[in-house]
């Protein structure tokens, strides 16, 4: 079975925009609205984690003038 590729930050933002558009523009049920909201919150969490990882790498690069591995639990 093929491994699912993780979406990029930009792909997550695009998908969140599409979800918002559907929720704003289309007449959907409360259940579907909740499902879309839940999906959006998962995307938001994933995006925040990716941004935090990039930010840590940038800070490490600025500190050491070279990219080093970091402990994500720090």
């Amino acid at each position: 079975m093929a491994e699912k590729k993780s979406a990029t930050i930009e792909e997550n933002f695009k998908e969140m925009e599409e979800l918002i558009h559907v929720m704003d523009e289309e007449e959907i049920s409360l259940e579907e609205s909740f499902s879309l909201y839940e999906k959006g919150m998962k995307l938001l969490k994933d995006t925040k984690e990716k941004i935090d990882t990039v930010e840590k790498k940038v800070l490490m690069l600025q500190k050491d003038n070279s990219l080093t591995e970091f402990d994500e639990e720090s």
Side-chain angles (χ1 to χ4, degrees), residues 35-50:
S35 177
L36 293 172
Y37 175 80
E38 186 175 32
K39 184 176 182 179
M41 292 305 294
K42 288 177 183 176
L43 282 168
L44 185 62
K45 181 179 184 271
D46 181 59
T47 303
K48 181 189 178 314
E49 289 171 358
K50 288 177 190 243

Side-chain angles (χ1 to χ4, degrees), residues 16-30:
M16 283 187 278
E17 287 175 5
E18 291 169 1
L19 290 174
I20 291 168
H21 176 74
V22 169
M23 292 176 75
D24 281 345
E25 301 297 324
E26 295 183 21
E27 197 168 310
I28 57 176
S29 68
L30 182 59

Side-chain angles (χ1 to χ4, degrees), residues 4-13 16 42-58 70 72:
K4 185 178 177 184
K5 180 188 143 208
S6 180
T8 65
I9 294 170
E10 293 81 5
E11 290 169 336
N12 280 357
F13 277 128
M16 283 187 278
K42 288 177 183 176
L43 282 168
L44 185 62
K45 181 179 184 271
D46 181 59
T47 303
K48 181 189 178 314
E49 289 171 358
K50 288 177 190 243
I51 290 171
D52 287 348
T53 298
V54 170
E55 183 179 29
K56 286 178 183 178
K57 287 181 179 180
V58 168
F70 61 91
E72 290 189 27

